[in-house]
Amino acid sequence: MAEYVCIVCPNSCRLKVEEVDGEIQVTGNECKRGIAHGIHEHTNPERMITTTIAVRGGTLPRIPVISSAEVPKSVLKDCLARLYSLEVEAPVTCEQVIEKNICGTGVDVIASRSMPRKGGQ
């Protein structure tokens, strides 16, 4: 049996997920959405990526980025390692694609704010 905290609604239910006779059963949920979340978290957990990457020539040394969708949790560390190795050149515009199809996931990583060039150039 595995336990998860449901993040679908403000109730933060403590879900218990177990496989019985090849079927996944979820208990502890207060709403139907908790069942789907428990099954998904147990069988194929995914996470959004939110981090920062280095900027060369910007007004700040780093810029925040976010993934366009969730990535499988199993490749999250690889995705972060790739992002930590990057350095982009300013200027950067909000929603500019920083890394397309990160680690073959089909998910793009985009800038979540704009970053002008240092000195306004």
Side-chain angles (χ1 to χ4, degrees):
M1 177 179 2
E3 294 186 15
Y4 306 98
V5 175
C6 186
I7 58 170
V8 176
C9 76
N11 288 332
S12 298
C13 296
R14 299 212 174 265
L15 305 177
K16 293 182 179 163
V17 181
E18 60 184 324
E19 293 185 44
V20 177
D21 298 326
E23 192 172 309
I24 298 175
Q25 296 180 347
V26 179
T27 58
N29 57 296
E30 293 184 24
C31 69
K32 290 180 183 179
R33 295 184 303 168
I35 296 170
H37 176 75
I39 291 170
H40 185 72
E41 188 66 16
H42 190 72
T43 59
N44 185 31
E46 295 177 313
R47 299 291 184 267
M48 290 294 290
I49 298 172
T50 58
T51 190
T52 61
I53 62 166
V55 178
R56 187 174 44 255
T59 55
L60 297 171
R62 302 191 70 76
I63 189 166
V65 296
I66 189 167
S67 55
S68 61
E70 294 179 329
V71 298
K73 191 175 175 185
S74 61
V75 298
L76 186 60
K77 286 183 181 179
D78 294 335
C79 292
L80 290 172
R82 172 68 185 141
L83 291 171
Y84 295 156
S85 73
L86 295 179
E87 183 177 55
V88 295
E89 183 75 31
V92 178
T93 58
C94 188
E95 298 184 11
Q96 177 180 327
V97 175
I98 302 298
E99 180 76 3
K100 189 163 186 64
N101 188 24
I102 190 160
C103 295
T105 61
V107 174
D108 297 337
V109 176
I110 60 174
S112 57
R113 68 164 284 181
S114 293
M115 175 77 63
R117 187 172 252 322
K118 191 173 191 174
Q121 301 169 346

